[in-house]
Amino acid sequence: MVDRSVRVRARFPLAAALGVMLAGSIGVGSALADPPAGCWAPADYSLAPGERTPRRATAADHVSVPNAAAPGLPVLPPYAGVVRRVKLPDGVKLVALTFDLCETGGQVAGYDGPIFDALRRANVPATFFAGGKWLETHPTRAKQIAADPLFQIGNHSWDHANLHIDDLGKVRREILTTETAIADAKVAAVAQCPAATPVSHDRLFRFPYGTCSQAALDSANAVGEIVIQWDVVSGDPADIGAAAIVANVMRQVKPGSIIVMHANGNGKHTREALPLVIEKLRAAGYGFMTVSDLLHAGTPVTVPSCYIEHPGDTAVYDRKAAQKTSAVSHPGNAL
C-alpha cells in the first residue's frame, strides 16, 4: 500500500537532506554501492551479448499479465497532479537521475548494463521507471535492480500504451498490474539475496510518452500513484552524441531537477554520456537522490497536465494512438 505519509508528508530536516547529498557524492568503494554480500559476483552484472539491443518479441518471450495489486490511498495535494521538479531549501543542490525501462507489446526491450555499472561505480542513487512487461522479460536484472540499495523502481505502465485516450479501466490495469510486477521483483530479490533490503517508498508512476488526459491523471492519483515527469530532457533517444546529451542536461538543470534518460537500449549514447553527466554535476556542487528522497527533501512543483517540454507537445503521440484506435474500431477505414 502506498505510504500513508502521502497525505501529510513530513519533511526531511535540512541536515538530513545534506546528509543524503553527501552520501550521493561519496567516492568509489563505499559500502552503499556494493552488491549485497553473497548474492551476485561482479561477473553476474556483466552485459550479455545482444542484451542491450531491443528486439522483436517471439512466442518464446510471452509472459502472462499478473493480477492487479490493490490500489493505494489517494494522492492528495501537494503531491496530486504532475510532479516536474522539487523546490528545495536555499543552498541545497540535489537532483534525481531517472531512467525509463519501457517495453512495448511487440518487443523485448534491452538492458543497457553500462548505465547501471556507472551508477554503482560512482555510488549515485537513481530511479528506474520500469514497465511491468520489462520486469517480467528481464527477471534476473529486475532482481538485481530491486536488491540494490542505490536504486528505486517506479511504475511506467505494463507495456507502454498511450494512456491519454484509453479508458480508465485500462489505466488502472496498466498501473496496478505493474505494481504487482514491481512487488514480485522485490520478493524474488530477497528470496535470492536475503541480505537485500529493496528500496520501498512511495508509489511513483510515469505516463508513457509523457502524455496523459485529465481523467487518466486523476485515475493514477486515485489509486495511490504520485505522477512523476521531469524538467530536464536529456534527448538521449535521439542520435545526438554523448557531448550533446551532457550539454542538454547542464543547460537545463537546477536544484531539485528531475532528469529523464533511458536504460532499455533506446537511449543512444547514454552509456557514454552518463559518467560525464555525473562528473559535471558533482563539479557544479550537485548531489544525487532517488525521486522519493528528493520529494521528502523539499516541496514538489506540480502542473495540471503532462507534457515533454511545453504544454501540447505530446499531440503527435496522441494523434498516432487515436488513429490506431480508430483503425481497430473501424477496420474498414484502415489504409
Side-chain angles (χ1 to χ4, degrees):
M1 180 172 287
V2 70
D3 185 348
R4 291 182 182 270
S5 62
V6 167
R7 290 184 178 273
V8 182
R9 177 78 63 187
R11 301 281 179 233
F12 273 4
L14 179 59
L18 291 172
V20 178
M21 179 174 71
L22 292 172
S25 302
I26 297 171
V28 177
S30 165
L32 182 63
D34 293 338
C39 302
W40 291 280
D44 295 329
Y45 291 93
S46 298
L47 191 65
E51 190 178 15
R52 177 178 181 262
T53 306
R55 59 179 175 81
R56 186 180 297 276
T58 68
D61 299 310
H62 174 76
V63 293
S64 298
V65 180
N67 293 328
L73 293 175
V75 175
L76 302 177
Y79 299 91
V82 180
V83 177
R84 293 197 66 88
R85 56 182 301 273
V86 175
K87 181 175 174 54
L88 297 172
D90 291 343
V92 178
K93 297 181 73 174
L94 296 164
V95 297
L97 298 180
T98 71
F99 301 83
D100 289 356
L101 290 169
C102 34
E103 182 171 293
T104 64
Q107 71 166 179
V108 175
Y111 167 81
D112 206 341
I115 289 172
F116 298 83
D117 297 339
L119 293 166
R120 289 178 173 122
R121 281 196 303 269
N123 192 31
V124 169
T127 302
F128 294 90
F129 285 91
K133 183 171 174 289
W134 189 96
L135 294 170
E136 296 291 338
T137 57
H138 299 75
T140 297
R141 299 309 187 185
K143 286 186 290 186
Q144 290 173 347
I145 296 167
D148 199 307
L150 284 172
F151 301 150
Q152 178 179 18
I153 301 178
N155 185 325
H156 198 33
S157 82
W158 176 256
D159 59 0
H160 212 259
N162 187 317
L163 300 180
H164 184 278
I165 62 169
D166 281 314
D167 66 88
L168 298 187
K170 179 167 184 177
V171 173
R172 288 173 59 95
R173 289 193 301 274
E174 287 269 340
I175 291 171
L176 296 177
T177 55
T178 302
E179 285 298 335
T180 299
I182 293 170
D184 288 348
K186 292 177 180 179
V187 170
V190 174
Q192 180 165 343
C193 184
T197 54
V199 176
S200 182
H201 290 306
D202 315 293
R203 286 186 176 184
L204 307 178
F205 180 71
R206 175 167 284 170
F207 275 97
Y209 305 104
T211 184
C212 64
S213 64
Q214 184 64 57
L217 172 58
D218 291 344
S219 182
N221 283 164
V223 297
E225 303 287 328
I226 303 175
V227 175
I228 303 294
Q229 281 201 287
W230 51 76
D231 68 324
V232 176
V233 178
S234 69
D236 66 347
D239 196 2
I240 59 176
I245 292 172
V246 175
N248 283 343
V249 171
M250 298 309 297
R251 183 180 67 254
Q252 301 170 74
V253 73
K254 60 179 71 71
S257 280
I258 299 172
I259 302 166
V260 60
M261 291 178 275
H262 293 76
N264 65 340
N266 289 342
K268 300 177 179 66
H269 306 291
T270 314
R271 54 164 64 182
E272 298 93 348
L274 180 59
L276 300 174
V277 167
I278 293 170
E279 178 184 350
K280 286 189 173 292
L281 286 172
R282 280 184 167 156
Y286 285 97
F288 303 90
M289 281 183 157
T290 63
V291 169
S292 273
D293 285 342
L294 190 68
L295 289 172
H296 283 265
T299 304
V301 177
T302 61
V303 294
S305 62
C306 298
Y307 54 87
I308 298 172
E309 294 182 277
H310 54 81
D313 63 5
T314 62
V316 60
Y317 300 114
D318 301 334
R319 284 195 297 270
K320 289 179 180 178
Q323 290 166 359
K324 182 178 179 180
T325 300
S326 178
V328 172
S329 302
H330 308 283
N333 296 334
L335 296 179

